[in-house]
Amino acid sequence: VTIGTPLFLQALHTSVATLILFLAVFYIMLIGSKITIVLLISRSKSLLSNRVYFGIMRFLAIVLCVFAIIFICDGLKYFMK
């Protein structure tokens, strides 16, 4: 079971056209957002110094660790029921 499965099944129960439209929009947004991020980063790469870049990377690493801890705690709560 993944994050999009409930929406996928709901679209499937509505109609096949809804399912196809859901999948098309989902993947267009997924790939489009990644392309947008790459373009923004490639254009702003010269604006970031090494010090600023590594500071941002450290901050994002901490944010990812916080989310990982939250998800692990949620998972443990699910299995402890």
Side-chain angles (χ1 to χ4, degrees), residues 14-64:
T14 303
S15 72
V16 175
T18 305
L19 175 65
I20 292 170
L21 183 63
F22 169 76
L23 287 174
V25 170
F26 178 78
Y27 282 108
I28 288 170
M29 295 302 291
L30 182 70
I31 293 168
S33 65
K34 290 179 187 287
I35 291 172
T36 303
I37 290 170
V38 167
L39 290 175
L40 288 173
I41 289 174
S42 69
R43 291 185 183 179
S44 65
K45 192 174 184 179
S46 62
L47 300 175
L48 296 175
S49 66
N50 282 340
R51 185 176 181 145
V52 173
Y53 175 77
F54 285 117
I56 291 171
M57 288 298 114
R58 285 187 185 119
F59 171 74
L60 292 174
I62 291 169
V63 170
L64 283 174

